[in-house]
Amino acid sequence: MIHLPVLIADLGLILAAAGVTTLLFKKIRQPLVLGYILAGILVGPHISFMPTVTDHESITIWAEIGVIFLLFSLGLEFSFKKLAKVGGSAGITAVIEVVFMLLIGYAAGQLMGWSNMDSIFLGGILSVSSTTIIIRAFEELGVKHKKFAGLVFGVLIVEDLVAILLLVLLSTLAVSQQFAGSEMLISILKLCFFLIIWFLGGIFLIPTFLKKTKKLMNDETMLIVSLALCLVMVLLAVKVGFSPALGAFIMGSILAETTQAEKIEHLTKSVKDLFAAIFFVSVGMLIDPKILLDYAFPILVVTLATILGKLISSTFGALLSGQPLKTSVQAGMSLAQIGEFSFIIATLGLTLKVTSEFLYPIAVAASAITTFTTPYLIKVSEPFYNFLNRVLPQKWLDGISRYSSGTQGITTMSDWKTLLRGYAFNTIIHGAILTGIVLLASKYLQPFVNKHLLDGNNGIILSLIITLVIMLPFLYALAIRRIERKAYSHLWLNKRYTRGPLIAIELLRIALAIFFVAFLMVQFYNTWIAISIALLLIVGGMFIFSRKLQSFYERMEHRFLYNLHARDEENKQPEILPWDSHLLELTVAPESELVGKSLIDLAMREKHGVNIALIERGKIMLPTPSRDERLYPNDKVLIIGTDDQLAAVTPLFEGKVSEDSATFPKQDMSLQKVVITSKSPVFGQSIRSSGIREQTQGLVVGIERNGQRILNPDSNMIFENEDIVWIVGNNKRIPELLK
């Protein structure tokens, strides 16, 4: 008898349960995540009347793979450039919300008598909202075009990065079992260092690699290469002491900057869906339904803390960032739930065995409840704003309005701010690169040289020379390269300011370069003589070969910036944002009544008050199209208007389908042969007057007459006796007309 491995049997059971529950939850229009969790409860060890998974260790490994691919997918949707574009409003709102919810979660845990570690993890679980649930709710309610939706999506992007940081910090805290500020600071600095190094190296190398191999890449090889890159970054992350999830997220965010991002996201979606389903089912397997009954009160407390805490903190954060009251309230009520990252944080606590068993099911139960409440909160957000608008004192409303207008009007930067920001950015980037080069040289290069090339002092000298040559372009950029030339010139020539600070900044840059060279020398030598000689050589070399270094560095910088901006250049759109209006991209459906009409005939501005800023037709971009330009099926149109105006025009682009067209089964359309006799209803009539097109939804494509075949006959041709007619049409109606 053939033996079936337990893992395969368990996997079959998991997927079968997941398949049934997802169909059910699709039917009742609820998030699939909840269906997966329910499937996990059913096949878990706590339900006796259902078949149960037996090999829990293997399923845990599969679930870890699920976390990796789930985070990889989130990284593909994340993109560090999106983070830079979300603006201060989303950043301020997200940070205030996360900090507030961390405090709320910790306070709630302490009030219920939980341990410090349980309370801290509860705060982390409550601090992150659910991207999946919010997107689904926005699509069902048709509010993706509204202004507050853009703010919410920006907050979610920032929260993704904060969640990654929380995973690192909570892991450190769990290992040390105490809150040590120095360890936390070291963890944050270490995370920032590796994020910079991985991002810079990834953007410099990976887009170029994908471009060079584009002709060799079909769907199969692209999928394999993408997953390989993901798992290589996972290995690197684990090697330096971070979680596998962080590595997957970073590689996803790097690939998100490439021109192949959409294709990679499409190809890996099935893999992500499969393993994510296993992960969420494994989440459900850890839940004991009895615990949910025993901890009904804590579940209620956590749910209320989530809804009220996120509503208040997000609304306050949005107001503080300068958003109007209406946008702030709508955003706050949209973010009042917990989701995917919360499960990962809760899993981390169980895996590290630092949290109580009851915390996990409580978090999942609160997530399920807030998932159901989210659509209703979004629906009532506008009526709730109207209520606040009526009951709040007019002085408060006027003050909020003035603050919002004043904050949005601050757009200029002084020369000092521009210069200092440029120098800070330059120092952080090149400082991280130089630190990475020094550490790699001391840990890998020098041992390799000593073992395979030269040993002893000669090997050390060779390693130093190689390292210094690699460091030279970045030392030049750190110490000599001119940054923000325009702002620097304004400050240097402005007689109102002393040149002392500018000279001090330049001296500080040179001192930093000297520090990194000394840092390198200390890794190999302890004598000050060797350090001094190396410093003189490197500083002299930078000045003597400054032009060549500048040329080499500029080529590297150009390649990096080209890779970084390649995707944006393909999808470049103008930035227009006056007053309360905002941009919305709509696609012209083939069945839309707008198809084929010119912009002057549509009169969008006159009828609806909106303006068409851009038309994207395949790879063709038509910014500010002329009034004679026409709309065609699948055109992507960038429209600017207010929430109400955009809501009014969206149905025009979507179009309507008649019942006959919508319900016509495709399989009924077929090619048929009909012989015309003198008794046929169409005998003696022309093709046009016979009514074949109107009554049978058919088209005459050929006629055979006296051995002669006529393809695509003229519509004025008369049907004669014994004509053999070939018709493409409804196979049910044609015989009725021509029998």
Side-chain angles (χ1 to χ4, degrees):
M1 182 177 177
I2 298 174
H3 174 68
L4 184 67
V6 175
L7 175 61
I8 297 177
D10 286 344
L11 186 61
L13 178 61
I14 285 174
L15 295 180
V20 172
T21 54
T22 50
L23 289 174
L24 173 64
F25 274 67
K26 273 277 189 182
K27 182 70 174 177
I28 61 177
R29 301 174 65 84
Q30 295 301 324
L32 298 186
V33 172
L34 298 180
Y36 292 141
I37 293 172
L38 176 61
I41 294 174
L42 294 175
V43 300
H46 307 292
I47 301 294
S48 57
F49 59 85
M50 292 281 292
T52 302
V53 171
T54 54
D55 189 358
H56 293 279
E57 186 175 346
S58 296
I59 297 303
T60 302
I61 295 173
W62 283 71
E64 289 179 3
I65 299 174
V67 173
I68 289 172
F69 289 127
L70 184 63
L71 268 293
F72 179 63
S73 176
L74 287 172
L76 282 171
E77 298 172 3
F78 169 77
S79 164
F80 282 99
K81 286 178 66 183
K82 284 184 181 178
L83 179 63
K85 290 179 180 178
V86 297
S89 295
I92 292 171
T93 304
V95 170
I96 290 176
E97 180 202 343
V98 169
V99 172
F100 189 83
M101 292 309 299
L102 282 169
L103 296 174
I104 285 288
Y106 181 80
Q110 290 294 294
L111 289 173
M112 290 186 290
W114 293 0
S115 67
N116 282 333
M117 200 59 70
D118 284 339
S119 302
I120 291 170
F121 268 81
L122 177 61
I125 289 168
L126 301 188
S127 61
V128 186
S129 300
S130 172
T131 304
T132 304
I133 292 168
I134 289 174
I135 290 176
R136 170 188 163 275
F138 278 5
E139 287 176 348
E140 289 187 356
L141 298 174
V143 296
K144 288 181 72 175
H145 64 277
K146 294 197 173 183
K147 189 176 181 180
F148 77 91
L151 175 63
V152 171
F153 290 141
V155 171
L156 292 172
I157 290 171
V158 179
E159 283 188 349
D160 285 345
L161 188 60
V162 172
I164 290 294
L165 180 61
L166 280 175
L167 285 175
V168 175
L169 294 181
L170 290 174
S171 299
T172 305
L173 186 63
V175 171
S176 63
Q177 289 289 315
Q178 59 183 354
F179 186 83
S182 58
E183 289 187 10
M184 288 295 175
L185 181 60
I186 291 171
S187 297
I188 292 173
L189 292 175
K190 184 180 176 183
L191 174 63
C192 293
F193 169 73
F194 281 106
L195 283 178
I196 293 171
I197 294 297
W198 285 334
F199 181 72
L200 293 176
I203 294 297
F204 190 78
L205 297 173
I206 291 175
T208 303
F209 166 73
L210 292 177
K211 184 180 179 182
K212 296 289 185 184
T213 58
K214 187 175 181 181
K215 292 182 179 179
L216 304 174
M217 291 281 192
N218 56 19
D219 287 354
E220 180 181 357
T221 52
M222 179 64 81
L223 174 63
I224 293 170
V225 168
S226 302
L227 297 181
L229 289 171
C230 170
L231 295 177
V232 166
M233 185 59 79
V234 166
L235 290 174
L236 287 175
V238 173
K239 187 76 174 176
V240 296
F242 292 119
S243 67
L246 175 64
F249 183 83
I250 294 299
M251 181 50 68
S253 65
I254 291 171
L255 291 175
E257 308 296 352
T258 68
T259 56
Q260 304 292 325
E262 288 84 359
K263 185 176 183 181
I264 293 171
E265 189 175 352
H266 172 72
L267 291 174
T268 57
K269 185 177 185 301
S270 299
V271 178
K272 183 264 295 185
D273 289 343
L274 172 63
F275 285 102
I278 296 172
F279 166 69
F280 287 118
V281 171
S282 70
V283 168
M285 288 168 57
L286 296 172
I287 299 174
D288 184 353
K290 293 180 180 178
I291 292 182
L292 298 181
L293 296 175
D294 295 338
Y295 288 87
F297 177 72
I299 290 172
L300 179 61
V301 171
V302 171
T303 302
L304 291 176
T306 301
I307 295 174
L308 296 178
K310 282 182 172 285
L311 194 159
I312 295 170
S313 60
S314 300
T315 302
F316 177 72
L319 285 173
L320 195 63
S321 70
Q323 293 296 319
L325 179 61
K326 182 178 181 180
T327 303
S328 302
V329 170
Q330 290 177 311
M333 298 185 77
S334 301
L335 292 163
Q337 76 289 123
I338 55 179
E340 303 85 0
F341 261 119
S342 303
F343 297 147
I344 296 172
I345 292 173
T347 305
L348 176 68
L350 277 184
T351 304
L352 297 176
K353 298 180 180 179
V354 294
T355 57
S356 304
E357 292 185 0
F358 61 77
L359 179 61
Y360 197 92
I362 287 174
V364 173
S367 173
I369 296 171
T370 53
T371 296
F372 287 112
T373 59
T374 295
Y376 299 102
L377 289 173
I378 297 172
K379 277 183 182 180
V380 301
S381 61
E382 191 165 348
F384 183 63
Y385 157 73
N386 294 330
F387 168 75
L388 290 178
N389 206 33
R390 289 194 304 270
V391 300
L392 289 179
Q394 190 61 40
K395 289 183 179 180
W396 291 16
L397 297 174
D398 293 340
I400 292 172
S401 180
R402 284 195 302 271
Y403 177 76
S404 175
S405 301
T407 305
Q408 292 178 0
I410 300 172
T411 56
T412 58
M413 288 188 68
S414 68
D415 288 333
W416 271 116
K417 278 188 177 180
T418 302
L419 187 68
L420 291 175
R421 188 179 68 171
Y423 276 129
F425 187 75
N426 180 72
T427 303
I428 291 171
I429 294 297
H430 294 101
I433 294 173
L434 290 168
T435 303
I437 293 172
V438 171
L439 294 177
L440 288 173
S442 63
K443 190 169 184 179
Y444 298 105
L445 177 62
Q446 199 236 337
F448 176 83
V449 170
N450 284 342
K451 184 176 181 180
H452 298 284
L453 300 176
L454 296 171
D455 57 359
N457 193 55
N458 291 333
I460 293 176
I461 293 173
L462 179 60
S463 301
L464 276 173
I465 292 172
I466 295 172
T467 308
L468 287 171
V469 169
I470 296 172
M471 290 174 66
L472 270 176
F474 306 106
L475 288 169
Y476 158 80
L478 178 66
I480 301 174
R481 177 173 173 259
R482 181 68 63 219
I483 302 168
E484 299 292 349
R485 293 175 180 271
K486 188 175 180 181
Y488 190 93
S489 299
H490 285 171
L491 293 170
W492 185 264
L493 298 173
N494 195 330
K495 295 181 179 179
R496 291 185 302 170
Y497 300 112
T498 176
R499 295 176 179 179
L502 295 176
I503 297 172
I505 289 174
E506 296 301 325
L507 291 175
L508 177 62
R509 294 176 65 192
I510 295 173
L512 284 172
I514 293 173
F515 165 78
F516 280 109
V517 177
F519 178 49
L520 171 67
M521 297 301 299
V522 168
Q523 304 299 314
F524 298 95
Y525 289 107
N526 292 323
T527 62
W528 283 102
I529 296 175
I531 294 175
S532 302
I533 293 172
L535 289 177
L536 290 173
L537 289 174
I538 200 70
V539 173
M542 280 197 297
F543 281 99
I544 294 170
F545 301 106
S546 61
R547 288 190 176 181
K548 290 186 178 180
L549 288 173
Q550 178 181 0
S551 175
F552 180 73
Y553 180 82
E554 285 177 351
R555 287 199 301 271
M556 286 198 305
E557 185 182 50
H558 174 74
R559 176 174 163 185
F560 175 82
L561 293 176
Y562 175 81
N563 289 342
L564 185 64
H565 297 301
R567 185 182 180 189
D568 285 349
E569 289 298 321
E570 284 195 353
N571 305 295
K572 196 170 184 179
Q573 295 178 348
E575 294 184 5
I576 309 170
L577 195 63
W579 304 296
D580 275 340
S581 300
H582 61 104
L583 290 170
L584 177 68
E585 185 182 278
L586 295 172
T587 301
V588 181
E591 60 272 11
S592 170
E593 61 184 36
L594 307 180
V595 171
K597 293 183 179 179
S598 65
L599 299 188
I600 191 173
D601 293 333
L602 294 175
M604 285 291 185
R605 184 184 300 179
E606 293 78 7
K607 293 180 180 178
H608 305 286
V610 299
N611 287 300
I612 294 180
L614 177 139
I615 298 175
E616 180 183 348
R617 186 171 296 148
K619 295 184 178 180
I620 300 173
M621 296 290 176
L622 302 172
T624 58
S626 66
R627 62 179 188 173
D628 297 320
E629 188 63 52
R630 296 180 182 275
L631 295 181
Y632 295 102
N634 298 314
D635 276 356
K636 292 181 180 178
V637 182
L638 207 62
I639 298 179
I640 183 168
T642 63
D643 285 347
D644 294 336
Q645 291 168 341
L646 294 173
V649 300
T650 299
L652 298 178
F653 284 81
E654 296 171 349
K656 294 181 180 179
V657 182
S658 65
E659 292 187 6
D660 291 340
S661 300
T663 57
F664 181 77
K666 184 179 178 181
Q667 61 270 21
D668 286 355
M669 184 66 71
S670 62
L671 178 65
Q672 297 185 64
K673 182 178 75 172
V674 177
V675 178
I676 303 297
T677 66
S678 58
K679 296 182 179 179
S680 298
V682 298
F683 175 72
Q685 298 182 34
S686 66
I687 296 175
R688 177 182 288 115
S689 61
S690 65
I692 290 177
R693 180 186 293 271
E694 294 77 16
Q695 297 181 45
T696 70
Q697 298 171 320
L699 179 68
V700 177
V701 295
I703 295 178
E704 186 174 342
R705 179 179 294 172
N706 301 324
Q708 181 183 3
R709 295 177 178 175
I710 305 168
L711 184 64
N712 295 325
D714 186 87
S715 58
N716 294 316
M717 191 171 185
I718 306 297
F719 288 118
E720 297 181 0
N721 189 32
E722 297 185 355
D723 277 353
I724 301 175
V725 182
W726 296 89
I727 303 175
V728 174
N730 190 330
N731 56 27
K732 295 178 180 178
R733 294 188 179 183
I734 290 174
E736 295 176 0
L737 179 66
L738 302 180
K739 63 182 178 180

